[in-house]
Amino acid sequence: KRRPNNTGSSAKKQLQQTLAHANAQSNPLAALPSAFQSVNITAGDDDAPSKTNGTIHYYKSPLPELILQQCLDLFERNMGEIYEKSEWGLDMEEKRGELLHEDARFLIIILEDDDDDDIADNDAADADDIETATAAAANSSTDDIIKSTTSPQQQQVIGFAHFRYEPDEDSPSSTPLSPITYLYELQISLTSNGLGKTLMTLIELLSLQLFMTKVILTVFKCNTGAMKFYLDKLKGYDVDECSPSNFEGGEDVEYEILSKRIGHKRV
């Protein structure tokens, strides 16, 4: 349910400017330390592991078709059964439409070497040191931006995050609308390898850099692995005040809304 917009004209204008600035960025990753744009990946079996590199790229919608289809395939592999059993159902054309939304933004993890098909593990590049990186991001300029020039023909997607910069229209009606990052998808081809945490760290850093106030996301209650990941493995996430479980009858709803406040109270 959308609440009435009681934001004053000045605050509303500032909100619009903040979101417009965030959505205008071609590649805000360029303002972060270079270590956050790559991951070390162990490929092969346990007896003969080999190291290779993955790179993290920022995309604005629309994604190149080869990348888009890999993201859809990864989503269906990871979430297809859960969606089929939910009241929402699985509609891949609707999901394609979501990923093609003009405001959709993406972090895509690319394995450049197509010969490495069996990926076993990953050491995230300094993703745990969020305090140091957060300070760097808060003081970085995003004016000088460069676009990724990686050839899509050589790109193998091993993980992605789909998010958008939006007004927090579900916040209490007594407070002005604030700019937030809404995470629509976080999909990784593997588990327990650090890639999901790396992407979430980057999303938080970009949110701080672009003056968002929260990261918000929706998780199926039955997806216990995801619930544990956000509430136990990551720092600062909790059930949001607008989550159905906070309201009468909400215990029967299939999902929770989780959030983490990011450094800025409001625009």
Side-chain angles (χ1 to χ4, degrees):
K1 183 178 179 180
R2 300 295 187 183
R3 71 179 181 83
N5 187 348
N6 62 354
T7 308
S9 59
S10 177
K12 183 178 180 180
K13 182 178 180 180
Q14 191 171 3
L15 170 68
Q16 293 171 340
Q17 290 175 341
T18 299
L19 294 174
H21 173 73
N23 282 314
Q25 303 307 306
S26 297
N27 182 17
L29 287 180
L32 298 179
S34 60
F36 282 85
Q37 299 176 48
S38 64
V39 287
N40 298 321
I41 301 168
T42 301
D45 54 38
D46 293 338
D47 295 330
S50 61
K51 296 287 187 178
T52 187
N53 293 322
T55 54
I56 302 174
H57 301 266
Y58 182 91
Y59 283 94
K60 299 173 67 173
S61 183
L63 288 171
E65 181 60 31
L66 290 175
I67 298 295
L68 173 62
Q69 190 56 54
Q70 288 186 71
C71 290
L72 288 168
D73 291 344
L74 179 54
F75 165 81
E76 188 170 11
R77 288 198 303 271
N78 286 357
M79 300 297 296
E81 184 176 353
I82 291 178
Y83 269 77
E84 286 173 348
K85 293 179 179 179
S86 76
E87 62 182 15
W88 295 349
L90 178 64
D91 186 336
M92 291 307 297
E93 283 304 311
E94 181 179 13
K95 183 57 62 176
R96 172 180 281 268
E98 288 180 11
L99 269 59
L100 287 173
H101 191 284
E102 63 179 357
D103 292 334
R105 300 295 181 265
F106 303 90
L107 292 176
I108 311 283
I109 305 179
I110 300 295
L111 180 66
E112 304 294 350
D113 186 355
D114 290 335
D115 292 331
D116 292 329
D117 295 325
D118 186 11
I119 306 165
D121 197 5
N122 168 73
D123 294 323
D126 201 30
D128 291 332
D129 192 7
I130 190 170
E131 291 81 9
T132 299
T134 298
N139 293 316
S140 296
S141 170
T142 59
D143 292 335
D144 299 325
I145 301 298
I146 60 173
K147 291 185 177 180
S148 170
T149 57
T150 306
S151 172
Q153 286 79 9
Q154 300 175 358
Q155 295 177 333
Q156 179 184 344
V157 174
I158 58 174
F160 77 95
H162 162 210
F163 55 97
R164 302 179 198 173
Y165 302 118
E166 302 178 339
D168 184 9
E169 296 182 336
D170 291 320
S171 60
S173 59
S174 60
T175 61
L177 294 181
S178 297
I180 57 96
T181 300
Y182 205 107
L183 178 67
Y184 283 76
E185 296 292 342
L186 178 67
Q187 301 298 336
I188 303 297
S189 61
L190 311 165
T191 58
S192 303
N193 57 61
L195 297 179
K197 188 173 183 180
T198 297
L199 288 182
M200 289 305 298
T201 299
L202 283 171
I203 287 171
E204 292 173 18
L205 293 173
L206 295 182
S207 299
L208 176 65
Q209 175 181 287
L210 296 173
F211 300 99
M212 301 298 112
T213 61
K214 278 184 179 181
V215 175
I216 300 181
L217 56 104
T218 302
V219 183
F220 281 112
K221 292 177 181 177
C222 67
N223 193 350
T224 55
M227 291 290 288
K228 183 176 180 180
F229 171 73
Y230 290 112
L231 296 177
D232 297 341
K233 293 186 178 181
L234 298 183
K235 297 179 181 179
Y237 286 88
D238 204 348
V239 176
D240 191 76
E241 57 191 346
C242 70
S243 188
S245 63
N246 288 322
F247 301 93
E248 185 176 354
E251 63 274 4
D252 297 326
V253 178
E254 295 179 312
Y255 63 88
E256 291 279 15
I257 298 174
L258 309 181
S259 67
K260 176 179 179 177
R261 189 163 291 280
I262 304 292
H264 307 285
K265 291 184 178 180
R266 64 180 61 180
V267 273

